[in-house]
Amino acid sequence: MATDTQIRIGVMGCAGIARKVSRAIHLAPNATIVAVASRSSEKAQTFATENNYPKSTKIHGSYESILEDQEVDALYIPLPTSLHVEWAIRAAEKGKHILLEKPVALNVAEFDKIVEACEANGVQIMDGTMWVHNPRTAKLQEFLSDSERFGQLKTVQSCFSYAGDENFLKNDIRVKPGLDGLGALGDAGWYAIRATLLANNFELPKTVTAFPGVVLNESGVILSCGASLSWEDGRTATIYCSFLANLTMEITAIGTNGTLRVHDFIIPYKETEASFRTITKGGFDKLVTAWVSPPSEHTVKTELPQEACMVREFARLVGEIKNNSAKPDGFWPSISRKTQLVVDAVKESVDNNYEQISLSGR
C-alpha cells in the first residue's frame, strides 16, 4: 500500500524496459506501483506477478481503464513511440503526471502537442533517459564547467552501438516503421545526442549534417547512422549510433585545457559505482616517448541505481506539485525537446541526401 509520502505510479504497457523501471520504482523511497495496464488483463496480471508488484496493485485490461483510476498520480509510459502522442496527451488530460520513454515522439511537432497538454493540465513530464540522473553526471558537468581544469569546449564525440541478433533485426519494435520508426537513431542516437547537448550546456547546434553511409533495413528504418553538429562559435560534435556494431557507449569531450572520457555513460559497468577519466594540460616527456602524467580516474559511488534516481527525482517533482502547489519543472521537457529536434534534423538530413540542416529558429 502507498504511504502518504509516496507518489502512486501506474505502469501503462508491459514492454521489456518496464521490467527495469518497475524495479526502479520499487527501489525509489518516494514512489510505489499501484496499477498496471496492458491490452489484456491476463498480460497485465502476468507482468505484475513476474515483476513482484504489490498484491494490492490494480490490474487494468486496457489503457483507457488506467487513465480513469483515481488512485494513480502518475503514469510510466513505455509504449512504442508511435503511440506516445495519443496516450501521453490523454494521460495529461486526466491530470496524470508522465514519465515517458524515449524517444519522446516520432518528431518534435508531436512532442509539442504532448507538452501543450501537460502545460494546460499542470502535470510534470520527464523522459526516461536514465544516465543523466546518475550522480556521476553531475560530476561530469562540474568538470566540463571548470575553466581551469577543462577550459572552453572545442569538440565532443559520442556514440552508442550494440550488435542486434537476427531476431532483433527482424522482429524488434525498434526496426518496425509503424512502431519505433526512428530505429537506431531514436533508440541509440537519442543517448549520443543528449550527451553532446549536455556537454554544450544544452545549447542547440546551428547545423546538423548526417554522414553518408547510413544503413537502412528493407522497410526504410535506420539501423546505423552518424552525424556532425556545429555551433555558431566553432564548437563541433559527432555522433554515431548503430544496431550493427559491438556494444560501445562513449563520450569524449575536448576543451582548451582538458579532456573528459566516459566509456560506459549509458549503463555503468557496475551498478554501485560509475567512473570517468580526466586529463588537464596533457603533455609528453622530453624525448616524446611517454605522457608526463596519465589521466586521473574518478569514481562516484551510487546508493541507488541510476534508474531509481530518475524515479526518485520524478516523484519528488510530482510530490511538490501535488502537496505544495508547485509548478511543473520545465527543464525536463525542454531538454527532451532539444534532443528530439536534433534527432529530427539528422533524420531530415538522411532523407535529403545528407544535406546540411539549419536549426536556427526551431
Side-chain angles (χ1 to χ4, degrees):
M1 294 291 289
T3 66
D4 289 344
T5 56
Q6 286 182 312
I7 296 304
R8 303 167 300 176
I9 297 179
V11 175
M12 190 178 191
C14 302
I17 189 66
R19 291 164 45 239
K20 183 174 182 177
V21 175
S22 295
R23 173 177 174 261
I25 298 167
H26 295 326
L27 291 170
N30 57 349
T32 190
I33 294 171
V34 296
V36 59
S38 186
R39 284 169 296 183
S40 77
S41 297
E42 294 76 21
K43 188 176 178 186
Q45 181 63 67
T46 300
F47 190 82
T49 304
E50 287 176 350
N51 290 281
N52 304 311
Y53 281 17
K55 293 248 184 320
S56 57
T57 302
K58 279 198 209 161
I59 306 299
H60 293 276
S62 71
Y63 302 144
E64 288 89 351
S65 176
I66 200 170
L67 292 181
E68 301 297 334
D69 192 329
Q70 296 302 307
E71 293 182 6
V72 171
D73 298 314
L75 287 168
Y76 167 58
I77 305 179
L79 299 173
T81 312
S82 59
L83 299 179
H84 285 186
V85 67
E86 177 188 353
W87 291 104
I89 288 172
R90 291 177 72 170
E93 287 171 346
K94 292 293 183 179
K96 310 299 188 193
H97 303 277
I98 299 164
L99 182 59
L100 185 64
E101 261 313 323
K102 36 62 55 187
V104 288
L106 291 175
N107 53 63
V108 81
E110 285 190 354
F111 186 61
D112 284 347
K113 290 177 187 171
I114 294 170
V115 172
E116 190 181 338
C118 290
E119 289 176 348
N121 292 281
V123 300
Q124 181 68 51
I125 184 166
M126 177 188 284
D127 73 49
T129 310
M130 299 168 183
W131 72 269
V132 295
H133 299 273
N134 192 302
R136 169 176 63 182
T137 303
K139 295 294 183 185
L140 303 182
Q141 290 173 295
E142 204 176 281
F143 179 73
L144 291 167
S145 61
D146 190 318
S147 58
E148 294 296 315
R149 291 188 299 156
F150 184 73
Q152 291 177 308
L153 179 69
K154 289 296 183 182
T155 193
V156 193
Q157 288 102 41
S158 184
C159 66
F160 181 29
S161 62
Y162 54 93
D165 61 18
E166 189 179 346
N167 181 54
F168 176 94
L169 294 173
K170 193 174 177 184
N171 299 314
D172 195 271
I173 66 166
R174 286 165 284 191
V175 300
K176 301 287 187 185
L179 295 170
D180 281 345
L182 293 169
L185 174 60
D187 183 46
W190 179 275
Y191 292 106
I193 289 165
R194 175 65 59 88
T196 64
L197 288 172
L198 181 131
N200 283 279
N201 207 22
F202 296 105
E203 183 188 335
L204 278 170
K206 183 184 175 187
T207 65
V208 174
T209 312
F211 294 133
V214 170
V215 180
L216 307 175
N217 68 10
E218 55 198 26
S219 302
V221 174
I222 294 172
L223 300 181
S224 177
C225 72
S228 66
L229 289 63
S230 66
W231 280 258
E232 195 80 55
D233 63 0
R235 281 170 287 153
T236 61
T238 61
I239 64 112
Y240 173 75
C241 55
S242 180
F243 291 156
L244 305 172
N246 189 52
L247 179 61
T248 306
M249 48 182 77
E250 305 261 339
I251 303 171
T252 299
I254 306 171
T256 48
N257 295 337
T259 302
L260 167 74
R261 284 198 176 91
V262 192
H263 300 301
D264 58 347
F265 82 96
I266 298 160
I267 300 172
Y269 294 131
K270 296 180 181 176
E271 193 172 57
T272 52
E273 62 183 44
S275 300
F276 62 99
R277 288 183 165 192
T278 63
I279 193 159
T280 298
K281 294 181 178 168
F284 303 121
D285 62 11
K286 284 184 180 175
L287 279 178
V288 196
T289 58
W291 289 56
V292 173
S293 56
S296 304
E297 179 108 12
H298 311 267
T299 301
V300 181
K301 300 285 184 188
T302 49
E303 73 179 278
L304 283 175
Q306 60 187 19
E307 58 273 18
C309 294
M310 174 184 73
V311 171
R312 180 177 62 185
E313 176 61 11
F314 174 68
R316 185 189 72 78
L317 292 170
V318 172
E320 286 293 313
I321 297 164
K322 182 182 174 185
N323 302 317
N324 300 322
S325 303
K327 295 273 187 247
D329 186 344
F331 170 74
W332 296 106
S334 78
I335 65 170
S336 301
R337 186 179 195 275
K338 287 176 178 180
T339 310
Q340 186 74 49
L341 267 174
V342 178
V343 168
D344 288 7
V346 176
K347 179 78 165 59
E348 189 179 340
S349 182
V350 168
D351 291 345
N352 289 278
N353 202 28
Y354 310 111
E355 74 175 37
Q356 185 179 89
I357 305 302
S358 171
L359 284 183
S360 297
R362 294 201 187 189

